[in-house]
Amino acid sequence: MIAIHVVALFLRRLRSESIAVAGLMTLVLATALVFGAAPRLLSRVGDDALRTVVAGYPVPLRNLGFDEQTRICACTPDPFADVEAEGANVEARVPPTLGSTIVDRVAAADTTRWSVVRPEQFPPVLTIRFEPRAFDHIRLVEGRLPAGAPRTITVPATPTDAAASSPVYEVVLAQASAAKIGVHVGETLFLRPDRTDRLASRSGLPVRAAIEVVGIYAVPDPDEAFWFGEPALLHPTIRTVSSEVEFVDVFALAAPAAYPAYLAATSEAALPLTYHWHLSVDVGRLDGANTGQVQADLRRAESIFPASAFGSGGPVLRSSLLSILVRQDGEWQSALAVVTAISIGPATVAGAAIALVALLTAQRRRATARLWRARGGSQLQLVVSALAEAFILTVPAGIIAAVATVLVLPGGSAWLTIFAVAGVVVAATAIIAATVLPAVRGGLVTAGPTSGRPSGGGAIGAVGRRRLVLELLVVGVAATAIWLLRERSVHGTGGAGAVGIDPLVAAAPALGGIAAGLIAMRVVALPMAALARIAGSGRGLVAVLAVRRATRGGGAGVVLLVLLATAMIGAFSSGALVLLDRSAVSVAWHDVGAPIRVAAPGSLGGFDASAVPGVQAVAAAYRAPASVGSAGLPLTLLALDPAAYERVVDDLPVDASLPPELAATPDTLPAGSPLPAVVSTALATNPAGVRSGATFTLVVDGRQTTFRATAVRDAFPTLDPSTAFVIASRPQLEALRHAPLVTTDAFIRAPDDALGAITDAATRATTAATITGRAAETEELRQSPIVRAVVLAVAAAAVVAAAYAALAVAAALALASAARTTETAILRTFGLSRREAVGLVVAEHGPLVALAFAVGVGLGFALFLVLQPGLGLSGIIGSDLDVPVAVEPLHLALLLGLIVVIATVGIGLGALIQQRALLAAAVRRGIE
């Protein structure tokens, strides 16, 4: 009976208060839609970011490659069927979730390296590849494709090898490879095992071979996934053994029909072949829901195909997909942590808006509740009535929001949406019910004249014991959350190594804003009291009334709290966005080390950057792997000219400072003394590493060289701070060796528009060159999917917070203006003009707006400085470089404009309510 009566009563109220009730239901519906859509949108953005990031990696890194050194027979009419069958067996051992992502398979077999018999000191080295599907991805420019089984010829004798009978294999060569080694269609090349190939020389038996070049081909799409990112069949490569020894490596493509003949010809020497099975992973089948299982399967695959098995009869896995997924997952979790920390602020402001709108709609219901209580209604009936009305207002809106979100936004977990919408419904129900329940606890009341003060309080400095305790509790919780975030980061470790988000710690920015607002409400009472005394000594009416209202009631405290929290959220978000942008710039400078860098493994060949138009300065460097100590600790040696490098990065944001010992000319160094060097912190702190001031020995280009660690550095451009590295002077090394070092890196100072000319010159000199521009890498980092997701999420959170803040301020001022209608009407009978009434509202809240902006911005940036180390922003960019926090003036201007707009909307609504006050009715209300 109670429930039926409550529903009937609510329906009658709905007719009389249709606009207010509809507005409240619309607000709850909009809030449920926003919070219900958020997890689905984040899931979709995360999936898109995952696929985009993985697809952006080179093909061999994101796909699966299996290599095995053995000899697989050709025991079926199809000469390559057994090789492909063995590849199918390897694929069958791949764990199922990982296997379900595979969409294409390519099998190939490489022979050992063969030296071309020529009267040269370092003749070309050739490898024959059997890859049936490759013929579908090339275009002949001259000659024909190889066909049929090879014929047998007699290979002529050499000073070291006797004449021998051998098949001559028909092959085709890439256009660039044929030009590099100087061969033409129809030419026959005689081969012998390459003495630098351990696989070819381990048998010790004499073996000879020959090839006939029957065609020259080009590759229409070198970036096609089929080629697995390998240059072997596309162009020649340079294999540098030392500064004096280089080999040209080329690959020749033979017909599958020649495979059985090759096995037979090399059976006595038992020359192994290296088999490759390339499995292409469809990135479209990856999503956030299955990446955890894919990572687990990849770890299982690494244990099934261990790298240590290479050369011992078992296939090995060659892929970086696991590290890619792990890194991307870490970056996405960091992004989620930042988004969560920033989004809790708008959620708090949304709760305040719902509460204030609920107070507006509940004013008449609270009077009805007191009357009902006075006429004998029980507290249980009133409680049931309040809860039932709240459920009727919120539950239908929640159901509509959940259904609409799931239908309109496919993808993501439906349970997350349901939980988010349910949270909004529960919170809104509690807030709406709380607006009526105080009347239930208040007992019987008698009618009497109103005081003109809003029922909800809102005075600056007004405080009771319970409220003081509650505010102190909020401040304490905020301080604890901030301390926790500072100490142990925003991440919490879940089970099975998963990374989760601690809600309390992630709420630290929002809690800090609320705590700062509460403190500001109490602290500002002192200057406001002094201002009231000053205003009271004057003759004007507006100033006195404005200060009195601000200090004694009128919602000023709520306005200050909401605006200050909004300003803090904006400043905190601005700090995060600016740091992300500056991090992208810093990481790009660190990775490139100059406006433009050209690098190649082994050597840049004849590349001369100074001859390219537009180049202003060049610093040549030598980079090579090395090891130190009896344990053979691996490190990277970078030898460069300090003076030349400083000219390249002069007045640029790159820390290129090196100890003066490295800049000293070679003739000023004491004869026989160790060369000065800089060692990394990772090397200096390693137990097997090198301490500052210690001497150590490295093999540089085949020669042992002694160095002394003159300084320790955390990082240096192009060198990973977490790895061991040594920086030395290239001129000093060359003077000690009495021979030049090869150039592997060229740091170039040039305008961005010179990148094309530098790229053309570098690729003409060596096909293995990698050209990187600092500006392009900066833009790539800024436009990375995860960074863009964070920027969009922060922008969306700011828009949502602004909308709810405007609504909350408007509701607070509407409540205050409605409560002051009588006071304003009486004042107007004493001569208060409409313009002065508007000025009264502006004077009351104008100083609070300025105060909220100034204090909120300052506290927001201060809070960001305190919490920044624990937010995990470095994980989004993927670098631990120390980037200083800066303030963006444009962001401050936008934030100030936003605060002014929010306050203007609320003040305008409050002034409108006061202007529409009926003088006679308001005056009579006080008398009656």
Side-chain angles (χ1 to χ4, degrees), residues 43-65:
S43 177
R44 293 183 61 178
V45 170
D47 290 345
D48 291 342
L50 169 66
R51 293 161 187 162
T52 303
V53 168
V54 174
Y57 279 87
V59 172
L61 298 182
R62 58 182 166 89
N63 287 327
L64 306 180

Side-chain angles (χ1 to χ4, degrees), residues 503-543:
L504 174 63
V505 181
L511 290 173
I514 296 174
L518 293 175
I519 294 174
M521 287 175 59
R522 304 307 160 210
V523 173
V524 79
L526 299 177
M528 291 297 289
L531 187 61
R533 288 193 295 271
I534 296 174
S537 62
R539 301 183 61 183
L541 179 63
V542 173

Side-chain angles (χ1 to χ4, degrees), residues 79-139:
F80 218 64
D82 292 291
V83 176
E84 293 175 342
E86 182 60 28
N89 293 334
V90 171
E91 183 180 349
R93 298 167 61 189
V94 173
T97 304
L98 181 59
S100 65
T101 65
I102 296 171
V103 293
D104 194 19
R105 303 146 186 87
V106 177
D110 292 341
T111 68
T112 55
R113 292 197 299 263
W114 298 85
S115 290
V116 178
V117 178
R118 282 183 179 178
E120 302 174 8
Q121 183 179 7
F122 306 112
V125 176
L126 184 140
T127 301
I128 302 173
R129 170 167 288 190
F130 302 98
E131 190 170 3
R133 290 183 55 189
F135 295 104
D136 300 329
H137 299 267
I138 63 174
R139 176 178 56 85

Side-chain angles (χ1 to χ4, degrees), residues 5-405:
H5 180 71
V6 166
V7 172
L9 182 61
F10 175 77
L11 293 177
R12 286 197 296 271
R13 288 176 182 169
L14 182 61
R15 288 194 300 269
S16 61
E17 304 175 12
S18 57
I19 296 178
V21 173
L24 183 57
M25 292 185 69
T26 302
L27 178 60
V28 174
L29 175 62
T31 305
L33 284 172
V34 169
F35 285 85
R40 301 184 75 80
L41 289 174
L42 277 177
S43 177
R44 293 183 61 178
V45 170
D47 290 345
D48 291 342
L50 169 66
R51 293 161 187 162
T52 303
V53 168
V54 174
Y57 279 87
V59 172
L61 298 182
R62 58 182 166 89
N63 287 327
L64 306 180
F66 295 91
D67 299 335
E68 184 175 6
Q69 292 174 355
T70 184
R71 289 171 63 88
I72 300 176
C73 72
C75 304
T76 60
D78 183 351
F80 218 64
D82 292 291
V83 176
E84 293 175 342
E86 182 60 28
N89 293 334
V90 171
E91 183 180 349
R93 298 167 61 189
V94 173
T97 304
L98 181 59
S100 65
T101 65
I102 296 171
V103 293
D104 194 19
R105 303 146 186 87
V106 177
D110 292 341
T111 68
T112 55
R113 292 197 299 263
W114 298 85
S115 290
V116 178
V117 178
R118 282 183 179 178
E120 302 174 8
Q121 183 179 7
F122 306 112
V125 176
L126 184 140
T127 301
I128 302 173
R129 170 167 288 190
F130 302 98
E131 190 170 3
R133 290 183 55 189
F135 295 104
D136 300 329
H137 299 267
I138 63 174
R139 176 178 56 85
L140 280 177
V141 295
E142 186 180 354
R144 61 175 176 83
L145 294 176
R151 70 182 189 278
T152 301
I153 64 172
T154 300
V155 179
T158 67
T160 57
D161 301 300
S165 176
S166 171
V168 56
Y169 309 101
E170 293 185 353
V171 301
V172 290
L173 288 175
Q175 195 171 19
S177 298
K180 183 67 175 179
I181 65 175
V183 299
H184 307 281
V185 172
E187 187 172 350
T188 298
L189 302 179
F190 300 106
L191 311 174
R192 62 185 175 192
D194 178 25
R195 65 180 184 273
T196 65
D197 189 342
R198 62 178 182 83
L199 296 177
S201 59
R202 68 183 182 182
S203 69
L205 297 178
V207 60
R208 302 293 299 280
I211 62 168
E212 179 184 357
V213 180
V214 298
I216 305 294
Y217 67 86
V219 178
D221 186 6
D223 297 324
E224 189 179 4
F226 170 83
W227 299 110
F228 210 70
E230 295 179 340
L233 292 177
L234 309 182
H235 52 73
T237 57
I238 307 299
R239 180 162 44 95
T240 302
V241 178
S242 68
S243 57
E244 294 85 12
V245 180
E246 288 185 346
F247 292 96
V248 177
D249 284 330
V250 297
F251 272 65
L253 187 60
Y259 176 69
Y262 182 86
L263 289 177
T266 59
S267 60
E268 184 178 0
L271 293 182
L273 291 91
T274 301
Y275 296 89
H276 309 283
W277 296 283
H278 298 163
L279 307 182
S280 297
V281 174
D282 183 6
V283 297
R285 299 183 183 182
L286 298 175
D287 57 61
N290 71 357
T291 50
Q293 186 58 49
V294 171
Q295 291 180 38
D297 281 358
L298 283 167
R299 292 187 175 92
R300 288 177 55 199
E302 289 183 348
S303 64
I304 296 172
F305 307 101
S308 59
F310 195 75
S312 61
V316 300
L317 174 61
R318 180 162 51 97
S319 174
S320 297
L321 183 58
L322 176 59
S323 60
I324 292 173
L325 292 179
V326 170
R327 177 175 180 176
Q328 197 277 340
D329 187 57
E331 292 176 356
W332 180 244
Q333 291 298 328
S334 297
L336 283 180
V338 174
V339 170
T340 301
I342 292 176
S343 299
I344 290 179
T348 305
V349 179
I354 293 176
L356 290 169
V357 172
L359 280 172
L360 277 174
T361 60
Q363 283 181 332
R364 296 177 66 179
R365 274 179 285 168
R366 294 177 69 175
T368 302
R370 292 190 178 95
L371 181 60
W372 193 352
R373 186 78 174 91
R375 292 180 177 179
S378 67
Q379 289 188 355
L380 177 61
Q381 289 175 323
L382 290 174
V383 170
V384 172
S385 173
L387 293 176
E389 291 183 16
F391 275 117
I392 293 174
L393 285 170
T394 59
V395 172
I399 294 174
I400 294 173
V403 173
T405 303

Side-chain angles (χ1 to χ4, degrees), residues 480-562:
T480 303
I482 292 172
W483 179 80
L484 288 174
L485 181 54
R486 174 74 180 181
E487 290 297 315
R488 60 187 178 97
S489 167
V490 77
H491 298 102
T493 302
V499 178
I501 301 172
D502 189 329
L504 174 63
V505 181
L511 290 173
I514 296 174
L518 293 175
I519 294 174
M521 287 175 59
R522 304 307 160 210
V523 173
V524 79
L526 299 177
M528 291 297 289
L531 187 61
R533 288 193 295 271
I534 296 174
S537 62
R539 301 183 61 183
L541 179 63
V542 173
V544 176
L545 289 176
V547 175
R548 184 180 70 84
R549 287 180 173 183
T551 54
R552 298 183 184 179
V558 176
V559 173
L560 176 62
L561 179 62
V562 172

Side-chain angles (χ1 to χ4, degrees), residues 661 663-673 675 729 731-736:
E661 293 89 343
T665 57
D667 56 352
T668 61
L669 296 176
S673 63
L675 296 182
S729 168
Q732 294 174 6
L733 273 171
E734 291 179 335
L736 179 66

